[in-house]
Amino acid sequence: MRKLAGKVALVTGAGRGIGRGVAHRLAADGALVAVHYKEREEAARETVELITGEGGRAFAVAAPLGEPGDAEALYGRLDRGLEERGEAPRLDILVNNAGFNVPARVAEVTPRDFDALMAVHARAPLFLVQQGLPRLRDGGRIVNISSAATRVAFPESVVYSMAKAALEALTRALAKELGPRGITVNAVAPGFTKTDMNRKRWATREGEAAHAALSVFDRMGDPGDIADVVAFLASDDSRWVTGQCVDASGGSFL
């Protein structure tokens, strides 16, 4: 039997990149996956088709994040999507993956960009957990996608690093609070990964080589590398691991 058979997973920002890789892997392990997206409906549909084309189960859920009422709207649509598939409103796995970056050093940061990055990377996960707890079954899993930028100095994206650090602090606090229910809460910290985010950094052969050289394996990560770590944390195999941030950067900056 597949490890996540009978489980319901919600992956935010699952239309592309790491989110798509995570949704694909969780579905392959047997979960019914809600593929969240904000605006890119076509990308989310492609993720769903990738999963269902291999015999998995998935459906798309549209909702903004980082705005008032975002969690309530997302869960309302999740509940309707489950009902349409004959499932009760419930949740077993929440992966807070949605995110973006506005590269800027301290002298370049604007209040608008600060608020937007904090809203999506820190505020949204907090309230998605808060509003999701009535649905999240005992023994559930919460996985937050952080960044290796919290471990090393990354002045080129100072606010992004700050927001991800806040997410890691949230991870530890939730792990302690939700432990009595058997719910584990962990974070995964990717390094440079070949996705649309910051594509300009590695779009050229020289740029990719420079980023690959940061890893002890001399390559950039791909979404599957991160998805495999998330799948472990989403499974019962990780039952004795909580409050941790798992570095999935390929040994970058060692």
Side-chain angles (χ1 to χ4, degrees), residues 4 20 30 78 83-84 91 96 99 106 109 128 141 143 165 173 195 210-211 213 217 222 252:
L4 301 181
R20 175 178 288 181
L78 172 67
E83 183 179 0
E84 290 170 359
L91 186 62
N96 286 307
V106 63
V109 172
L128 282 174
R141 300 286 185 264
V143 183
T195 69
H211 287 81
F217 302 119
D222 64 58
S252 294

Side-chain angles (χ1 to χ4, degrees), residues 26 29 38 50 53 57 72 79 102 108 117 138 144 148-150 164 171-173 197 199 223 241 244 251:
L26 297 184
D29 285 352
K38 179 182 178 181
L50 173 65
R57 303 176 67 204
E72 294 88 341
D79 291 348
V102 182
E108 303 162 335
L117 285 162
D138 290 355
N144 298 319
T150 66
K164 289 299 191 181
T171 298
R172 292 187 291 272
M197 183 179 287
R199 186 182 181 90
V241 179
Q244 303 304 304

Side-chain angles (χ1 to χ4, degrees), residues 75 78-80 82-83 87-91 134-137:
Y75 283 119
L78 172 67
D79 291 348
R80 287 195 294 275
L82 290 171
E83 183 179 0
E87 302 279 353
R90 59 189 175 89
L91 186 62
R135 298 169 177 81
L136 189 63
R137 297 195 289 187

Side-chain angles (χ1 to χ4, degrees), residues 1 23 25 34 62 103 107 113 147 165 179 182 198 219 230 247-248:
M1 180 179 293
R25 174 58 196 272
D113 290 341
S147 171
N198 296 328
R219 71 172 177 87
V230 174
D247 185 275

Side-chain angles (χ1 to χ4, degrees), residues 6 23 56 67 89 97 112 126 147 156 173 199 212 226 231:
E67 301 177 7
N97 165 77
R112 180 178 180 179
L126 170 63
S147 171
E156 302 94 326
R199 186 182 181 90
I226 314 307

